[in-house]
Amino acid sequence: MQLDYDKFIINAEIEEFSEIFSEPFYQGFYQGVKEERKRRTIEVISNCLAIDLSLDVTASIVNISVEEVKQCIKENHLN
């Protein structure tokens, strides 16, 4: 049986572990987690736009504000 640690780490509030990740050994791992979270956020927003969900619903799914959703759409050319 293989455990999927990626989902746990991505869904965890990584800010809670900032003291641990401040050590040089963990800096690359911490950066990787932040990048993966950003990729998945963009993917979810893109999928929500594809099925014509409102920005309010999309923001609640991704758990960010509507302004952040708008900014992500603009930055990543998801129109």
Side-chain angles (χ1 to χ4, degrees), residues 27-72:
Q27 284 299 316
F29 178 74
Y30 180 69
Q31 186 65 29
V33 169
K34 287 172 50 177
E35 289 172 3
E36 181 64 22
R37 179 181 282 176
K38 184 176 180 178
R39 278 193 294 272
R40 290 188 185 197
T41 299
I42 292 167
E43 181 182 357
V44 170
I45 291 172
S46 177
N47 290 337
C48 288
L49 290 173
I51 58 174
D52 293 328
L53 291 179
S54 70
L55 293 180
D56 292 333
V57 173
T58 302
S60 67
I61 290 172
V62 183
N63 200 22
I64 59 176
S65 69
V66 174
E67 290 78 24
E68 289 172 312
V69 170
K70 289 178 183 178
Q71 182 178 357
C72 184

Side-chain angles (χ1 to χ4, degrees), residues 11-40:
N11 292 331
E13 291 297 326
I14 58 176
E15 290 77 22
E16 293 176 13
F17 302 108
S18 62
E19 293 175 9
I20 296 170
F21 292 137
S22 65
E23 297 177 22
F25 178 77
Y26 293 108
Q27 284 299 316
F29 178 74
Y30 180 69
Q31 186 65 29
V33 169
K34 287 172 50 177
E35 289 172 3
E36 181 64 22
R37 179 181 282 176
K38 184 176 180 178
R39 278 193 294 272
R40 290 188 185 197

